Structure formats: C-alpha cells, structure tokens
C-alpha cells in the first residue's frame, strides 16, 4: 500500500487559468508530485487531452499513478528530471499545449523525516529528490569551508554563512555529521538566539545544492519553450527569490532578446522573440489560501505564451 500523498496544490485556479486548458489539448506537468494540479488539468482537458507527468521522485510518481489511475492511458508517467523534457517530447507523437513547473519540494517530502529535508524532525542527512549520488551528508562532510560558505550565501542568502561553515568544519573534525538533528544543533550553536529563518535558509541552501535545482530550472525553462506548440502556455510556480529571479530574467530575455544598441533603426543581432509574458507582476496567493495552506505563502506564479 502506498502512503497517502498529502499535498495541497498551490495557486490551483490561477495555474489552470494561465495554462488556458482546453478539451482535447495536451499538457506536460514537469513536477507531478501527487498529481494535484494534473488531476484538474485532466478534468479540464477531457475527454481526450493527454498529460505527460514527470517527477524525479519515485515516491511522488507512485502516488500520482494511484491518484490519476482513473484517467487511464491519457496519462504518461516519467521518473525523470524536467530538464530532460525535450528527450521525452522527442519520443511522443502529439503536440504539447502547455507546461507547468511547480517547483521545490512537496509536503510529503518535507514531512517524511527519513527524507532528511526538515530541521524540525531528526532524519538522515539525505535531501535528495531523486537518485543522484550527491547527498546532504556528502555536502556537509566533504565540501571545503569556502564552498559551504558560498552555497549558504548564494542559495540561502544567510549573512552568518561564514560562521556557520566554520562551525560545521569544526564539528566534523570530531565526528561525521549524519543527521538533520546534528546539523540543526551545530547551526543553533553559532548564535545565542538562533532565528528559525536561519535554519530554513541553511537547509534550503543544502537542498538546492544537492538537487542542482537552479541548473535544472535553467535548462527546464528553455526546454519548455522549445517543446511547446505555438500558442502554448508555460506556467512556473516558484517558492524563493532565486527561482523567481531566474524565471523572471529568462522570461524577459525571451520576450525581448534583441541586444542591438538602442536607436539602431533595424535589428542586427538577429535574436527572435519567442514568448509573450502574460503577467508583469507575479501572481501570489491571497490571505485565504495562505491561511488554509501556510506553505503557499512564498509562492509566485509567472506565465508566458509561446509565439
Ligand atoms: C511542489 S511539488 C509539486 C506538487 C504538485 N503540483 C501537486 O499538486 O501535487 C514539487 C515536485 O516536483 C518535483 N521536482 C522538483 N524539481 C524537479 C525536477 N527538476 N525534475 C522533476 N521533478 C522535480 C519534486 O520531487 C516534487 O514532487
């Protein structure tokens, strides 16, 4: 029996609206999770729209298979990184009219302590969404102090990065750091009143490094634009400023790629616009949604249409 997959889809109605779901059209969900968004995509594209569902997490995929089984062969499942969606598209025979990327981790990933994502429960220092050889334990025990400081600063935007990196290095000289509890304790020891924010930031930074989340996003955004049919919609839900910044920057570059000096009467660089941005300001959850689902609080939705 699979464990229930308790994840509430974030900005669900807004995502569906921006995807512009139509009966008989086909969609790709690059971050299937338990299939919360996908279930509604399938409802709205019925009776025969297809859904390509990807997730790098085998447990998520298993839950999605169960949750979406009533849709039969309308759904194709792939245990893959969404950065590889072009390879998947090359093997399927239908057009894709929209792509959804609902980034980050799902509630079950955070809540299951054996996955090692949370500082609130003791578990192995793992943090892998998929099966990569790099684990949080390796990052914490093997990275040079300067590399630790860099990832805490770049991916966590934590101002005490240097101090925390030094404390980790000192602790690991005594014994290998193997659990989230040990890591949380070391972080706490660096300041008398440790704000929870710092713990979240450091854990977020390690998670981003372990899963190469920004590398996947960069490649995934480009692949999404490449694989969609003209008029297809790309909807991206981000949960921290690095992801949102990267998405915003990518959309801007695609919507206005010309690098010619201003005032030149014609375009000499030859770069072509590939998308139209559908919202200048990101859509965020309203107070009701945040009250009902606090994990939605940092969500930002950006959408674009392929030309
Ligand atoms: C926020 S959850 C998605 C929840 C889903 N929209 C739902 O409503 O159930 C994010 C999911 O994306 C997956 N994921 C994150 N980055 C990924 C990547 N680069 N490739 C494939 N899956 C990824 C995670 O494993 C996780 O299951």
């Amino acid at each position: 029996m699979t464990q229930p997959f308790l994840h509430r889809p974030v900005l669900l109605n807004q995502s569906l609206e921006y995807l512009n779901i139509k009966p008989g059209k086909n969609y790709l969900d690059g971050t299937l999770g338990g299939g919360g968004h996908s279930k509604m995509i399938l409802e709205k594209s019925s009776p025969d729209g297809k859904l390509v569902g990807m997730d790098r997490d085998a447990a998520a995929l298993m839950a999605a298979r169960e949750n979406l089984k009533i849709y039969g062969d309308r759904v194709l499942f792939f245990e893959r990184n969404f950065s590889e969606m072009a390879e998947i598209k090359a093997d399927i025979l239908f057009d894709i009219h929209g792509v959804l990327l609902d980034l980050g981790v799902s509630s079950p990933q955070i809540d299951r302590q054996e996955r090692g994502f949370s500082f609130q429960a003791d578990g192995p220092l793992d943090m892998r969404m998929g099966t990569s050889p790099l684990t949080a334990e390796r990052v914490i025990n093997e990275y040079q102090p300067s590399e630790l400081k860099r990832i805490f600063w770049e991916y966590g935007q934590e101002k005490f990065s240097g101090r925390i990196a030094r404390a980790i290095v000192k602790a690991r000289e005594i014994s290998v750091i193997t659990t989230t509890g040990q890591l949380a304790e070391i972080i706490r020891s660096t300041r008398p009143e440790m704000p929870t924010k710092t713990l979240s930031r450091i854990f977020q930074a390690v998670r981003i490094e372990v899963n190469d989340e920004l590398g996947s996003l960069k490649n995934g955004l480009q692949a999404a634009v490449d694989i969609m049919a003209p008029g297809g919609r790309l909807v991206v839900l981000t949960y921290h400023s690095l992801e949102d910044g990267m998405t915003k920057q990518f959309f801007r570059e695609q919507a206005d790629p010309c690098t010619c000096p201003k005032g030149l009467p014609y375009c000499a660089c030859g770069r072509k616009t590939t998308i139209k941005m559908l919202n200048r300001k990101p859509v965020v959850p309203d107070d009701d949604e945040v009250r009902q689902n606090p994990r939605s609080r940092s969500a930002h939705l950006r959408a674009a249409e392929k030309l």
Side-chain angles (χ1 to χ4, degrees):
M1 252 270 289
T2 49
Q3 279 178 281
F5 192 98
L6 302 173
H7 179 93
R8 200 189 270 257
V10 172
L11 290 169
L12 178 59
N13 291 332
Q14 297 89 331
S15 304
L16 298 170
E17 217 166 280
Y18 274 108
L19 280 169
N20 193 25
I21 318 274
K22 295 271 186 282
K25 300 280 183 194
N26 312 313
Y27 299 87
L28 184 147
D29 183 347
T31 50
L32 193 58
H37 284 96
S38 278
K39 187 169 178 55
M40 291 312 297
I41 294 174
L42 283 155
E43 285 297 320
K44 287 190 169 276
S45 60
S46 63
D48 54 355
K50 297 225 183 281
L51 181 105
V52 176
M54 302 177 69
D55 203 297
R56 65 202 294 196
D57 185 333
L61 220 56
M62 206 192 286
R65 276 184 196 279
E66 181 63 26
N67 291 345
L68 303 177
K69 66 179 179 211
I70 57 166
Y71 301 100
D73 63 6
R74 287 180 59 203
V75 195
L76 305 176
F77 296 94
F78 295 92
E79 187 185 328
R80 295 280 285 273
N81 192 312
F82 61 64
S83 62
E84 297 159 358
M85 68 175 89
E87 292 164 36
I88 305 279
K89 172 67 180 74
D91 285 339
I92 58 179
L93 297 173
F94 48 82
D95 283 344
I96 296 288
H97 303 103
V99 172
L100 173 67
L101 297 178
D102 176 18
L103 301 173
V105 273
S106 65
S107 296
Q109 285 169 328
I110 303 170
D111 295 340
R112 287 183 194 150
Q113 73 191 79
E114 71 274 17
R115 302 296 301 264
F117 282 104
S118 171
F119 58 85
Q120 281 163 335
D122 199 16
L125 263 181
D126 191 318
M127 298 198 199
R128 284 173 303 169
M129 292 183 198
T131 53
S132 72
L134 187 62
T135 60
E137 183 174 324
R138 288 191 53 190
V139 170
I140 292 300
N141 289 286
E142 294 175 16
Y143 274 30
Q144 295 294 320
S146 59
E147 283 180 284
L148 285 176
K149 183 178 167 187
R150 178 188 63 79
I151 63 167
F152 297 161
W153 175 247
E154 278 182 19
Y155 303 157
Q157 292 156 331
E158 170 51 49
K159 61 177 178 213
F160 292 103
S161 296
R163 194 190 287 188
I164 294 167
R166 283 194 298 278
I168 289 170
V169 172
K170 211 166 137 201
R172 75 190 191 191
E173 278 165 6
I174 300 166
S175 69
V176 184
I177 304 161
T178 57
T179 68
T180 53
Q182 283 173 292
L183 178 60
E185 222 20 71
I186 295 164
I187 300 168
R188 283 197 189 96
S189 74
T190 59
R191 281 167 78 191
E193 295 283 311
M194 175 57 69
T196 309
K197 251 190 193 160
T198 299
L199 285 155
S200 322
R201 287 186 185 135
I202 299 296
F203 271 66
Q204 171 185 291
V206 178
R207 194 198 85 203
I208 291 174
E209 174 68 14
V210 166
N211 296 291
D212 184 24
E213 290 181 33
L214 298 177
S216 297
L217 179 58
K218 184 167 183 273
N219 295 331
L221 289 169
Q222 186 61 61
V225 171
D226 292 345
I227 66 157
M228 284 192 300
R233 297 278 183 94
L234 169 59
V235 172
V236 186
L237 295 174
T238 66
Y239 294 88
H240 57 76
S241 57
L242 295 170
E243 288 172 341
D244 186 53
M246 185 179 268
T247 306
K248 179 169 143 187
Q249 173 79 6
F250 174 80
F251 277 13
R252 283 197 176 152
E253 282 167 10
Q254 299 285 312
D256 185 12
C258 178
T259 53
C260 295
K262 280 207 171 25
L264 205 67
Y266 57 89
C267 171
C269 75
R271 293 191 172 84
K272 296 269 177 280
T273 303
T274 58
I275 60 166
K276 173 174 86 179
M277 283 161 69
L278 299 175
N279 54 340
R280 292 265 148 205
K281 286 207 160 173
V283 178
V284 295
D286 61 19
D287 294 346
D288 260 5
E289 178 164 3
V290 174
R291 225 182 347 265
Q292 286 170 33
N293 180 13
R295 281 181 184 159
S296 70
R297 66 186 174 277
S298 52
H300 283 57
L301 180 156
R302 293 187 187 271
E305 183 173 300
K306 180 163 172 174
L307 297 177

